[in-house]
Amino acid sequence: NATLGQTFKVEAYNLPPKSVALFMMGFSDTQWGTIKLPFNLGLIGMKGCKLYTSPDLFFAAATVGTGTANGSASLGFPLPNNPALKGTRIFLQTLALDKQANAFGLSTSGAIKAVLQ
């Protein structure tokens, strides 16, 4: 739930432990500049990954956990209590440092959509 005036919490799982995750927040899931979304990141060496949201804002979080893919990361986004933002759609996707994922050393998650209420 993305309620204005409250903290919107997001969590990502199956990440490399003791690493870094970037939560990307965007305002579009169809276009990023001249790039149509989703975009196949395999074209730049990120085999099996896609960009689903425009990366308009980035928020970093440390991943915790043990094992090879038991890491997780969470982050809270304080949402302003501004009625003008009601109905705004935001999209979130995680980008993780993952040396074993592909030649680029990064992996992506799927994306979620939230509507500010």
Side-chain angles (χ1 to χ4, degrees), residues 19-93:
S19 188
V20 175
L22 291 175
F23 288 91
M24 298 183 293
M25 181 186 292
F27 300 102
S28 177
D29 66 346
T30 60
Q31 196 81 21
W32 176 44
T34 60
I35 298 171
K36 291 186 187 259
L37 301 174
F39 179 74
N40 178 4
L41 294 169
L43 299 172
I44 62 166
M46 293 176 64
K47 184 179 178 182
C49 296
K50 290 185 179 179
L51 182 65
Y52 290 102
T53 181
S54 58
D56 299 314
L57 301 169
F58 289 91
F59 303 91
T63 63
V64 297
T66 58
T68 57
N70 293 325
S72 64
S74 64
L75 200 58
F77 298 96
L79 299 174
N81 193 9
N82 182 343
L85 297 174
K86 189 173 184 174
T88 300
R89 299 179 320 147
I90 57 173
F91 304 90
L92 293 142
Q93 182 175 8

